[in-house]
């Protein structure tokens, strides 16, 4: 995290910048606070599965591990709320769940994916229907053209003069002259 300013107690109380670090390989979280003036580490604790996080007041939060109790007094309730959300999200992830709101986001994402899938199926169905209609129209046009051609051939056949079935007679004069 970018860091939140909080007041710490202990041997030398003062203001510190508190950050939550995530080790992505080990999937572990750690809260580290450093003094604002000399950057000395004043809080360094692991956030472990099962850790109890307690919002004591609007600006004071505390938690405990096996050895001690930790507490931070935040400059504002907004900073306290932000830090508390970060810690609770980390604890939820450690326990194998999703952070608050993630289920809703996952559901929204799943609903959107389902909507897009249905739209794609409908688009494909409409495209297939369009192709089927075009193919049917093409087939009907081919059939119409074949019928027209056959009708035209029949008209041509009927209009053609009848050809004689026998050869015309040879003129007789030509044979007599010889």
């Amino acid at each position: 995290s970018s860091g939140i300013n909080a007041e710490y107690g202990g041997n030398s109380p003062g203001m510190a910048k508190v950050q939550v670090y995530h080790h992505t390989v080990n999937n572990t979280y750690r809260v580290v606070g450093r003094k604002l003036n000399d950057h000395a580490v004043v809080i360094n604790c692991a956030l472990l599965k099962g850790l109890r996080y307690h919002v004591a007041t609007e600006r004071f939060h505390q938690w405990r591990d096996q050895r001690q109790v930790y507490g931070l007094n935040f400059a504002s309730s907004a900073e306290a709320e932000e830090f508390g959300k970060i810690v609770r999200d980390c604890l939820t992830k450690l326990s194998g769940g999703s952070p608050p709101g993630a289920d809703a986001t996952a559901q929204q994402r799943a609903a959107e994916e389902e909507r897009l899938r249905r739209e794609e199926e409908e688009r494909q169905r409409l495209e297939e229907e369009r192709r089927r209609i075009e193919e049917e129209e093409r087939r009907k046009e081919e059939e119409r053209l074949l019928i027209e051609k056959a009708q035209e051939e029949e008209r041509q056949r009927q209009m053609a003069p009848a050809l004689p079935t026998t050869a015309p007679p040879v003129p007789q004069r030509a044979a007599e002259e010889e």
Side-chain angles (χ1 to χ4, degrees), residues 34-101:
R34 294 179 177 271
K35 287 184 183 180
L36 291 180
N37 57 359
D38 65 3
H39 305 289
V41 174
V42 292
I43 187 170
N44 184 0
C45 72
L47 295 177
L48 303 172
K49 182 177 179 178
L51 179 133
R52 306 279 285 184
Y53 187 80
H54 178 66
V55 178
T57 70
E58 196 174 275
R59 290 181 34 215
F60 182 73
H61 295 196
Q62 64 186 54
W63 64 97
R64 80 171 51 236
D65 64 16
Q66 293 80 12
R67 297 176 312 160
Q68 71 182 78
V69 175
Y70 300 91
L72 292 172
N73 192 38
F74 296 91
S76 71
S77 57
E79 287 179 324
E81 188 176 316
E82 180 183 352
F83 182 79
K85 180 186 178 314
I86 292 168
V87 171
R88 284 188 295 276
D89 286 353
C90 294
L91 294 173
T92 301
K93 289 174 185 174
L94 286 170
S95 66
S98 300

Side-chain angles (χ1 to χ4, degrees), residues 7 18 30 36 41 63 82 86 90 96 107 120 142 144:
E7 188 177 352
V18 180
R30 179 166 291 281
L36 291 180
V41 174
W63 64 97
E82 180 183 352
I86 292 168
C90 294
Q107 288 174 350
E120 179 62 18
E142 285 177 359
R144 185 188 64 77

Side-chain angles (χ1 to χ4, degrees), residues 102-117:
D103 287 342
T105 303
Q107 288 174 350
Q108 289 169 343
R109 192 170 32 254
E112 177 67 9
E113 288 171 0
E114 178 64 17
R115 183 186 65 77
L116 291 172
R117 185 189 63 73

Side-chain angles (χ1 to χ4, degrees), residues 116-143:
L116 291 172
R117 185 189 63 73
R118 277 194 233 129
E119 283 179 1
E120 179 62 18
E121 284 177 354
E122 180 66 7
R123 186 194 66 73
Q124 288 176 354
R125 187 191 67 74
L126 290 172
E127 180 65 19
E128 185 61 33
E129 180 70 11
R130 182 189 63 78
R131 284 187 191 133
R132 188 191 61 72
I133 290 170
E134 284 177 355
E135 179 62 25
E136 180 67 18
E137 288 173 351
R138 186 191 60 73
R139 189 190 58 72
K140 285 180 180 179
E141 179 64 13
E142 285 177 359
E143 190 175 299

Side-chain angles (χ1 to χ4, degrees), residues 23-36:
H23 190 291
T24 55
V25 174
N26 296 337
N27 194 35
T28 56
Y29 297 89
R30 179 166 291 281
V31 176
V32 177
R34 294 179 177 271
K35 287 184 183 180
L36 291 180

